[in-house]
Amino acid sequence: MLKIYNTLTGKKEEFHPIVPGKVGMYVCGNTVYDFCHIGHARAMISFDIISRFLRHVGYELNYVRNITDVDDKIIKRAAENNESTESLTQRMIAAQVEDELKLGNKMPDREPRATEFIQEIIDLIEILVEKGFAYQGSTGDVYYRASAFKEYGKLNNRKLEDMLAGARIDVEIAKEHPADFVLWKTVKEGEVFWTSPWGNGRPGWHIECSAMSISCLGPHFDIHGGGPDLKFPHHENEIAQSEAATGQQLANVWMHCGPVRVNNEKMSKSLGNFFTVRDVLAKYNPEIVRFLMVSSQYRSAIDYSEDSLLESKVGLERLYNALKGQDKTEEYSKSEFSIRFEDAMNDDFNTPVALSVLFDLVRELNKAKADDEQLAATLAKELSVLSELLGLLQQEPEYFLQNSVLTDGLTAEEIEAFIQERTQARKDKNFARSDEIRDELASRGVELLDSREGTSWTRC
């Protein structure tokens, strides 16, 4: 039985979908004003793995992840770039898809964009105004009346007054209360806008997700997820808006992945420890980044560092070396390893324990290689199948082992050229040059492996 930690209740619970056999899952996606960073990668990979396992155990999953394509940050960045908001968001969406596919993710079933749901947003705000949960302030902006929703704060298990004491909340004269938040913003000169009953303007951030989730999955669905920074105020406000409008509980289960820290510090541009996915993939094979994310349970914090990436590289190489040269056509046969793997994933998607099962499987596979070719092939197939649920071992072993790290900028072609020169030097009995090449490659992180079949290499 699958158990999931529910942020709303603060405990692990047995998962029972609203409709047996079917799951609706909404995950808050990115505001597309810049390239994805490694914190985004954490959330993307976490919910990709969750979606893979839900499907693996037989659920018919509808995975929806939104795109925020109108927002203060987008408008500001577009103005700085002297381009339209549409041009900026289209570029960033394309870049996000490229990054995500490189990281080995499968795309969600649906990716609604906020600008496609303006009428639904307006309709939702009108309902809130009619019910007394929203009002138009003196500046023309429309605000949600937080004090009108008696359960405000239930996701974070705090009272409204307590949340105000420790939170940064904009104080505006037009607001009735400091905790009230904007649903519709009056247009400013030069900004993108839409017409509404409250004048020309655009939606606030929080109402966008309420409209999109209800439109795509209905007023009551199974799982709502997102990053750790969304718990308050974004998700708290989503609950307040949606449930006030529909009279139904928005989501049964709320899931939040943990933060990414860099050398045990919060990632921040001001600290100079901010890394985009593209920064990292310029040096490391994408599966190494994925392995790092999988090595911690999705709710735990991850420490991103060169050391942690190198540890992930070593672990992943061990898995790939076990598969190297193995027959991949064998039929999948479920053994105790599969059972243990599924038990770990059923325990709130415990990927570190699932990984430990893979390493136990590798030990048996390596033993079988020596004296039981059939068993080795069966175990290799099982390793491939289980790893795929984590999005790992998706490359040819030889390719990964030669391209795990782009050491000193050496390409595979350049390394092969060095090997050819060394092979010729050995034929010419120029052993001094042969040793020079070996030492040169070793100093640049490339290890040569000589055998009867020739010379192969790996990055070290």
Side-chain angles (χ1 to χ4, degrees):
M1 173 62 69
L2 174 62
K3 292 184 177 181
I4 303 175
Y5 182 87
N6 189 350
T7 307
L8 185 63
T9 61
K11 60 184 180 182
K12 284 185 196 177
E13 300 171 341
E14 288 188 358
F15 178 65
H16 299 284
I18 297 166
V19 178
K22 297 184 177 182
V23 176
M25 181 171 74
Y26 182 90
V27 175
C28 284
N30 296 335
T31 301
V32 286
Y33 72 100
D34 205 346
F35 293 114
C36 296
H37 56 66
I38 55 174
H40 295 141
R42 176 72 190 292
M44 289 173 173
I45 291 171
S46 294
F47 286 100
D48 176 63
I49 291 170
I50 288 166
S51 69
R52 286 172 188 244
F53 189 71
L54 288 172
R55 289 191 170 103
H56 172 72
V57 295
Y59 288 115
E60 182 183 328
L61 174 67
N62 186 2
Y63 174 18
V64 179
R65 188 186 64 197
N66 79 291
I67 293 173
T68 297
D69 62 345
V70 59
D71 174 85
D72 290 340
K73 293 177 180 178
I74 291 172
I75 292 171
K76 182 175 183 291
R77 181 61 57 84
E80 292 171 351
N81 293 351
N82 195 28
E83 66 178 322
S84 68
T85 56
E86 184 178 8
S87 171
L88 172 64
T89 57
Q90 290 287 63
R91 285 196 301 109
M92 292 300 103
I93 290 169
Q96 174 179 302
V97 171
E98 182 182 348
D99 289 345
E100 193 159 12
L101 292 177
K102 285 182 178 178
L103 288 169
N105 281 355
K106 297 180 178 179
M107 302 307 292
D109 298 297
R110 188 172 179 184
E111 288 190 284
R113 302 183 186 187
T115 56
E116 299 170 342
F117 288 80
I118 298 299
Q119 188 57 53
E120 289 83 354
I121 291 169
I122 291 172
D123 292 344
L124 191 58
I125 296 173
E126 285 190 302
I127 292 172
L128 292 171
V129 171
E130 290 171 5
K131 287 188 170 185
F133 287 98
Y135 60 93
Q136 188 168 21
S138 58
T139 60
D141 293 348
V142 180
Y143 293 96
Y144 183 88
R145 187 176 280 119
S147 59
F149 187 68
K150 301 307 179 185
E151 292 185 287
Y152 191 84
K154 66 179 180 179
L155 181 65
N156 291 269
N157 195 29
R158 295 169 65 185
K159 294 181 179 179
L160 179 61
E161 295 75 15
D162 296 335
M163 298 175 85
L164 291 179
R168 290 175 56 189
I169 296 179
D170 295 332
V171 178
E172 298 176 13
I173 297 174
K175 290 183 179 182
E176 293 179 355
H177 189 280
D180 294 351
F181 53 90
V182 70
L183 301 175
W184 188 263
K185 295 187 175 186
T186 302
V187 65
K188 297 177 182 177
E189 186 177 354
E191 290 185 348
V192 61
F193 69 88
W194 291 265
T195 58
S196 81
W198 314 282
N200 292 338
R202 59 187 171 84
W205 175 36
H206 309 302
I207 196 68
E208 294 175 353
C209 275
S210 286
M212 285 186 280
S213 64
I214 292 171
S215 297
C216 295
L217 295 174
H220 181 206
F221 51 89
D222 297 293
I223 298 172
H224 195 310
D229 55 328
L230 299 180
K231 186 178 174 184
F232 182 82
H234 185 53
H235 286 165
E236 196 71 65
N237 292 349
E238 269 193 76
I239 289 174
Q241 296 164 155
S242 303
E243 297 187 3
T246 68
Q248 298 186 53
Q249 181 176 342
L250 179 59
N252 284 353
V253 179
W254 286 81
M255 301 178 69
H256 295 89
C257 61
V260 174
R261 305 193 181 280
V262 179
N263 293 315
N264 291 313
E265 290 187 308
K266 183 178 180 180
M267 186 174 66
S268 168
K269 287 184 178 179
S270 62
L271 295 175
N273 64 356
F274 182 91
F275 298 96
T276 68
V277 171
R278 298 183 166 216
D279 293 332
V280 182
L281 299 191
K283 184 175 181 181
Y284 289 94
N285 188 294
E287 272 197 34
I288 293 176
V289 179
R290 191 176 185 96
F291 187 98
L292 173 61
M293 301 298 177
V294 171
S295 63
S296 293
Q297 203 261 0
Y298 76 94
R299 288 191 290 116
S300 302
I302 285 181
D303 184 45
Y304 173 92
S305 67
E306 288 292 319
D307 287 343
S308 62
L309 283 169
L310 291 174
E311 288 175 6
S312 297
K313 171 182 174 291
V314 170
L316 196 50
E317 284 177 343
R318 186 177 166 197
L319 297 180
Y320 266 114
N321 274 312
L323 276 187
K324 189 176 180 181
Q326 292 299 302
D327 180 12
K328 298 180 181 179
T329 61
E330 185 72 20
E331 185 176 344
Y332 170 51
S333 178
K334 193 171 182 178
S335 75
E336 62 158 318
F337 296 110
S338 292
I339 295 170
R340 289 170 52 202
F341 182 96
E342 291 179 359
D343 285 345
M345 294 296 287
N346 274 320
D347 184 16
D348 196 28
F349 310 100
N350 197 328
T351 53
V353 174
L355 270 181
S356 71
V357 174
L358 296 187
F359 284 111
D360 288 345
L361 198 165
V362 162
R363 275 193 289 273
E364 290 303 309
L365 170 56
N366 288 334
K367 290 178 185 176
K369 285 179 182 180
D371 52 18
D372 194 333
E373 187 175 318
Q374 180 60 48
L375 177 60
T378 300
L379 293 175
K381 182 64 175 183
E382 188 171 15
L383 176 60
S384 296
V385 170
L386 297 181
S387 297
E388 196 275 336
L389 293 175
L390 303 180
L392 299 176
L393 303 189
Q394 301 305 292
Q395 303 172 48
E396 288 298 321
E398 291 78 6
Y399 177 84
F400 174 83
L401 293 169
Q402 293 181 352
N403 294 276
S404 57
V405 181
L406 303 180
T407 312
D408 268 7
L410 279 176
T411 66
E413 292 75 16
E414 290 170 332
I415 295 169
E416 289 293 345
F418 272 118
I419 291 175
Q420 289 179 19
E421 182 185 352
R422 178 173 175 267
T423 300
Q424 187 60 49
R426 295 173 74 182
K427 287 180 179 178
D428 297 340
K429 301 190 182 301
N430 187 351
F431 299 113
R433 179 54 184 158
S434 171
D435 291 342
E436 284 177 3
I437 293 172
R438 175 185 284 277
D439 293 343
E440 168 69 11
L441 289 174
S443 70
R444 301 178 71 175
V446 177
E447 180 183 3
L448 299 184
L449 307 169
D450 292 321
S451 68
R452 292 179 181 176
E453 290 75 26
T455 301
S456 59
W457 57 274
T458 185
R459 300 189 192 266
C460 56

